[in-house]
Amino acid sequence: MDLRLNGRVAIVTGSARGIGRAAVTALAQEGVKVVVTDIDSAAMEATCAALRQDGHDVLGVTADVCDAGQVQNLVDQTVKTFGKVDILVNNAGFTRDKYLVKMPVSDWDAVINTVLKGAYLCTKAALPSMMAQKWGRVINISSRAHYGNPGQTNYSAAKAGLIGFSRALALEQGKFNITSNAIAPGFIETELVRALPTYERLKEAALARNSVPYVGTPEDVAGAILYLASERGRYITGELLHVSGGRFSG
């Protein structure tokens, strides 16, 4: 299937590892010029090196998505190097789990700011390029946690917020041929998840609730990103796609 992505330019935040790394790899394999950006410079450079070794066009930029100046520099470097921004995947995020009564303000702010403020800053900076060319794709990585998980009031609120953000943006930007969608992964076996001391218990719980008899990989999410970024998904906007093995709430 020709996704008609060759020559496009994509920024994927939090792309040094996990879902982000799978996304830049999948996009690069379709001929997209990718921008790997992460707060972890060493991991970002390692991902860039792997992509370059495979012959892909790649730019690496260290950036904290919560910092407006660093985000603008990220977009400026992208436009300087590749001439435009076509695709933005707002993937940066992490968990800091605690029950609300035990959650410090710092944990609430860190998660909300990275997920929601980061998406706001990155999208605001990338939109002018998309609007000028009258083509763009904004893909926000939400989570099945938008239904609510105990111990994740910060993360659930942030990921639910991304869904509303995506839908409002779709209404604002459709006239510029810019689509905006969200993806809600379920349990995904990333390096960070496998390193959790509760990994086996979490995996068993996911398998018990999934419709399919396996858990997801970063590549499963990357496949959904490819579709929504491509011309095949041009008539889809303001939507939420669950990549969760059939598990929704619960």
Side-chain angles (χ1 to χ4, degrees):
M1 179 185 293
D2 181 11
L3 296 177
R4 296 166 63 186
L5 283 169
N6 189 55
R8 295 292 187 189
V9 177
I11 297 173
V12 181
T13 66
S15 47
R17 56 175 63 85
I19 290 171
R21 178 166 178 156
V24 289
T25 301
L27 287 162
Q29 289 170 348
E30 291 293 328
V32 177
K33 300 173 182 178
V34 295
V35 181
V36 179
T37 182
D38 204 283
I39 200 168
D40 185 336
S41 298
M44 179 270 292
E45 289 293 351
T47 297
C48 288
L51 290 168
R52 292 189 184 107
Q53 188 172 3
D54 289 336
H56 300 304
D57 287 330
V58 57
L59 170 68
V61 181
T62 302
D64 178 353
V65 297
C66 299
D67 185 296
Q70 292 184 42
V71 168
Q72 189 59 57
N73 176 66
L74 164 66
V75 172
D76 289 346
Q77 289 297 317
T78 301
V79 173
K80 180 180 178 181
T81 303
F82 294 133
K84 58 179 179 173
V85 180
D86 295 306
I87 301 159
L88 171 65
V89 182
N90 286 310
N91 169 70
F94 51 82
T95 59
R96 287 193 180 171
D97 298 350
K98 287 182 181 69
Y99 281 94
L100 185 63
V101 292
K102 297 181 179 180
M103 184 180 292
V105 172
S106 58
D107 283 358
W108 176 271
D109 287 347
V111 172
I112 295 291
N113 285 345
T114 301
V115 174
L116 280 180
K117 183 179 179 181
Y120 155 72
L121 290 174
C122 291
T123 305
K124 186 177 181 181
L127 278 177
S129 179
M130 297 180 184
M131 293 168 71
Q133 66 201 16
K134 291 186 168 53
W135 197 98
R137 301 284 188 266
V138 179
I139 302 168
N140 298 304
I141 305 304
S142 180
S143 168
R144 191 210 58 81
H146 75 86
Y147 287 110
N149 283 335
Q152 290 192 325
T153 51
N154 50 4
Y155 189 71
S156 294
K159 293 300 190 177
L162 274 183
I163 299 169
F165 177 86
S166 301
R167 289 173 175 160
L169 187 68
L171 295 173
E172 291 182 10
Q173 296 298 321
K175 61 188 175 184
F176 296 104
N177 195 29
I178 298 169
T179 65
S180 170
N181 293 287
I183 294 172
F187 184 88
I188 303 296
E189 282 193 306
T190 64
E191 295 173 17
L192 292 179
V193 168
R194 284 194 295 270
L196 292 172
T198 56
Y199 165 70
E200 291 297 337
R201 180 175 60 80
L202 292 171
K203 183 176 180 179
E204 286 179 11
L207 285 170
R209 292 174 174 86
N210 284 6
S211 297
V212 295
Y214 46 84
V215 295
T217 68
E219 289 71 26
D220 291 318
V221 183
I225 291 170
L226 282 181
Y227 176 68
L228 291 175
S230 76
E231 282 299 312
R232 300 284 179 173
R234 71 187 185 96
Y235 203 49
I236 300 170
T237 194
E239 292 295 338
L240 171 64
L241 173 59
H242 282 88
V243 183
S244 60
R247 179 186 177 194
F248 299 100
S249 60

